Amino acid sequence: RAAPRAVALNLSSLNLQARNLALDGSKPEMLHVSARVAAGRGDAGKIDYQGTLALQPLALQGRLEASRLPVHALDGYLADRLAIELLHADVGFRGQVAFAQVARGTTLRLTGDAAIDELRANSTAAATPKTAEQVGEELLAWKSLGLRGLAVSLAPDTPPRVEVKETSLADFYARVTINENGRLNLSDIAKSPAQVSNPPAAPVPASPAPSAPVDATASASTTLPTPPPDPLAPVVQFGPVSLVNGKVLFSDFFIQPNYSADLTELTGKLGAFATQPPGTEPVLADLELRGRAEGSASLEITGKLNPLARPLALDIQGKVRDLELPPLTPYSVKYAGHGIERGKLSMDVSYKVLPNGQLTASNKLVLNQLTFGEPVEGAPNSLPVKLAVALLADSHGVIDLDLPISGSLNDPQFRIGPVIFKIIVNLIGKAITAPFSLLARAFGGGDELSSVAFAPGSATLTPEARQSLDKVAKALTERPALKLTVTGTASLAREREALQRERLQELVRAEKRRAAPTDTTPVQAAEYPALLKAVYRRADMPKPRNLVGMAKDLPVPEMEALLLAHLPAATEDLATELATHRGQAVKAYLAEQNLPEERLFLAAP
């Protein structure tokens, strides 16, 4: 009862047989021990040892068989070492054991097959306010854990070695949490020596720290020196691992907003992996894992990783199909000001972390039939989500996004969650500030789609302008909820000379129509000099004359210069008229692409 939690075991049917017993204990004796072991009123397990025993020094070697040993009865002895309360666990083992206590220390060699069945454990400690709320809740559970080909070796001044040829885990549950400091809760199950000697006080809520900038170049982090390799670090080798019918309740308090998800029906396998010697590249194991997320969405994770690698190294790909979005309404209300009425998410992600901590990630999201509700009164933010959906969704109601990310996990200011969230928020914000840039994501181009370039002084669409408008027309065809307003523009200050030239060209075109009223073709280069000469002759203005007083024949450039000099000066009214003609030209071209008139509007310049 000196343990933090009481320890009680019931031992029965004890059978002890010994031969060749040496009274001074100096020689190994043949020993056979068997017994039944129970905890409380539960069914008793069995233990059987056949081998040798020496007392001076203590040593034993032989065959050990155990089944359904209630190790949860020893939970009190584990409380100082593990941050869990072991509610139930039946342990079995069949194999060879060799143990010796000598002056240099303890040696142990264990080989055989082991099993831990019907395990249930609750968490008992937390390091942050959020994880403190989970104390006392179920942390780990499974029906069976099989360790075939287990080999454990301990010797003085030698790294401990653990090898498992094959591992199987069935019907398992885990509550996996990343706390506010970015640490995984399962990493804290084993208490450190400092925690054992000085139990931590209850976590005190801390005031939230200001959000860190996304730009990694602004980081002022200090690189901590790398500790020297531990020559006695454990050497661990695992063969293939199979997982059947698992459930994981995942919560991430590190990212903002906090994220949680239920992963069920998890089944898969992990290839062989091991700890790596210092200074070597980790060997990654093949991973295949399939299941369901939130009860309806299919989940698939493949790739390579090594759970024992330090620092972290992985190369994995994940797929989620048809995740229902309405359960995420609390997040959308908080950060966008609208609830989600319907929609599904499919996602393809790829994450690669190199041994130096450099992360390269891609996040491809497909949102199907995403529909936001009306603005929520009192919401902290209100983003133009409906306009963003109208801009991004195609004619089938599908939004396809690609969000690449890169950075260094060694930078404490780099956090994956906030980076992704900021990208999405900025994307929605562009619905007002740069709506055509959202259209360009699907149809090529950029913000230049928001404007059409004309030749100075002209309202005629160029081939380049028509190509740009073709993309706009296609985008509007694919997005029937969108309407477009066209506003023509012109600048008298920048286009004054061009306006004069355009007026001259109009006089030339009028001269051609006068000569051939039915000819609507553009003025050709060959006929231009004659038409310009006719305009020049009609112009009422001073003209250079010869000795007999007749108007001189002038080259084309001189005629153009004189005509331009005597045309009425360009005015703001002329620039406004040009802007109106430009707007009409754009609207007319889009209408020719079979866009309904009710979706096209012309605004005043």
Side-chain angles (χ1 to χ4, degrees), residues 248-278:
V248 174
L249 178 58
F250 176 74
S251 299
D252 191 342
F253 300 132
F254 182 66
I255 67 169
Q256 297 296 330
N258 298 155
Y259 174 74
S260 63
D262 282 338
L263 309 178
T264 57
E265 302 177 30
L266 296 175
T267 299
K269 59 184 179 180
L270 178 64
F273 59 93
T275 54
Q276 78 271 17

Side-chain angles (χ1 to χ4, degrees), residues 270-290:
L270 178 64
F273 59 93
T275 54
Q276 78 271 17
T280 62
E281 292 286 333
V283 178
L284 304 184
D286 292 329
L287 170 68
E288 292 183 18
L289 185 63
R290 292 172 175 81

Side-chain angles (χ1 to χ4, degrees), residues 144-497:
S144 65
L145 170 63
L147 304 173
R148 295 185 58 189
L150 172 66
V152 178
S153 176
L154 299 175
D157 304 322
T158 303
R161 300 185 65 90
V162 178
E163 182 179 354
V164 182
K165 296 292 186 183
E166 184 178 328
T167 303
S168 61
L169 180 62
D171 298 325
F172 60 93
Y173 165 85
R175 177 165 45 78
V176 179
T177 301
I178 300 176
N179 67 23
E180 296 94 311
N181 300 324
R183 185 170 177 82
L184 193 67
N185 64 333
L186 299 183
S187 302
D188 295 328
I189 289 180
K191 295 181 179 180
S192 66
Q195 289 175 310
V196 172
S197 58
N198 299 299
V204 178
S207 58
S211 59
V214 176
D215 186 2
T217 62
S219 170
S221 59
T222 301
T223 303
L224 297 178
T226 303
D230 182 4
L232 298 181
V235 177
V236 181
Q237 295 180 334
F238 270 87
V241 178
S242 66
L243 307 171
V244 179
N245 193 30
K247 178 179 180 180
V248 174
L249 178 58
F250 176 74
S251 299
D252 191 342
F253 300 132
F254 182 66
I255 67 169
Q256 297 296 330
N258 298 155
Y259 174 74
S260 63
D262 282 338
L263 309 178
T264 57
E265 302 177 30
L266 296 175
T267 299
K269 59 184 179 180
L270 178 64
F273 59 93
T275 54
Q276 78 271 17
T280 62
E281 292 286 333
V283 178
L284 304 184
D286 292 329
L287 170 68
E288 292 183 18
L289 185 63
R290 292 172 175 81
R292 307 199 71 79
E294 296 298 322
S296 60
S298 63
L299 170 68
E300 177 181 327
I301 301 175
T302 58
K304 295 178 178 292
L305 65 82
N306 187 334
L308 301 177
R310 295 295 182 272
L312 176 68
L314 56 83
D315 185 359
I316 60 173
Q317 298 78 44
K319 296 181 181 180
V320 175
R321 295 292 181 267
D322 298 326
L323 178 67
E324 295 288 348
L325 291 175
L328 301 179
T329 284
Y331 299 149
S332 67
V333 169
K334 181 176 181 180
Y335 290 93
H338 296 254
I340 300 177
E341 292 185 350
R342 62 179 296 207
K344 291 186 176 183
L345 167 69
S346 294
M347 179 168 57
D348 287 75
V349 300
S350 176
Y351 282 75
K352 184 174 184 178
V353 180
L354 300 178
N356 62 3
Q358 188 65 31
L359 165 71
T360 303
S362 66
N363 299 267
K364 296 182 179 180
L365 313 179
V366 177
L367 303 164
N368 191 5
Q369 309 302 318
L370 176 60
T371 306
F372 285 96
E374 295 302 317
V376 176
E377 186 177 353
N381 295 291
S382 181
L383 297 177
V385 291
K386 292 189 175 182
L387 177 57
V389 170
L391 288 167
L392 293 170
D394 62 17
S395 59
H396 303 291
V398 176
I399 299 174
D400 196 339
L401 300 175
D402 189 355
L403 309 176
I405 295 173
S406 62
S408 174
L409 299 184
N410 295 327
D411 182 355
Q413 294 189 4
F414 178 78
R415 298 183 179 184
I416 298 174
V419 171
I420 296 176
F421 182 74
K422 185 171 183 178
I423 291 174
I424 295 176
V425 169
N426 290 343
L427 193 65
I428 296 175
K430 284 187 177 181
I432 288 180
T433 61
F436 281 90
S437 68
L438 296 188
L439 289 178
R441 295 178 67 90
F443 297 97
D447 288 338
E448 65 271 14
L449 290 183
S450 63
S451 62
V452 177
F454 288 86
S458 173
T460 302
L461 292 171
T462 64
E464 294 78 9
R466 292 173 182 270
Q467 291 179 0
S468 178
L469 288 174
D470 287 341
K471 295 179 182 179
V472 174
K474 184 177 181 181
L476 292 175
T477 301
E478 289 287 323
R479 289 154 175 78
L482 288 179
K483 297 179 180 180
L484 181 67
T485 299
V486 181
T487 304
T489 62
S491 171
L492 179 61
R494 293 193 300 269
E495 299 184 85
R496 189 184 302 275
E497 182 180 349

Side-chain angles (χ1 to χ4, degrees), residues 510-598:
E511 188 64 33
K512 180 176 181 177
R513 291 193 298 270
R514 182 179 291 108
T518 59
D519 188 356
T520 59
T521 60
V523 175
Q524 303 299 318
E527 58 184 341
Y528 178 76
L531 293 173
L532 180 66
K533 187 173 183 179
V535 172
Y536 178 75
R537 286 176 177 175
R538 291 179 183 278
D540 184 13
M541 64 178 186
K543 302 172 184 175
R545 298 183 180 275
N546 56 23
L547 294 176
V548 297
M550 300 292 292
K552 289 184 177 180
D553 288 336
L554 300 177
V556 168
E558 293 185 20
M559 286 191 291
E560 289 178 335
L562 285 172
L563 288 168
L564 288 171
H566 289 86
L567 284 175
T571 63
E572 286 290 351
D573 290 341
L574 190 60
T576 301
E577 181 182 353
L578 175 62
T580 301
H581 290 162
R582 286 173 171 175
Q584 291 171 341
V586 171
K587 180 176 179 292
Y589 184 83
L590 291 175
E592 292 173 3
Q593 313 310 309
N594 298 320
L595 289 173
E597 284 285 344
E598 59 269 19

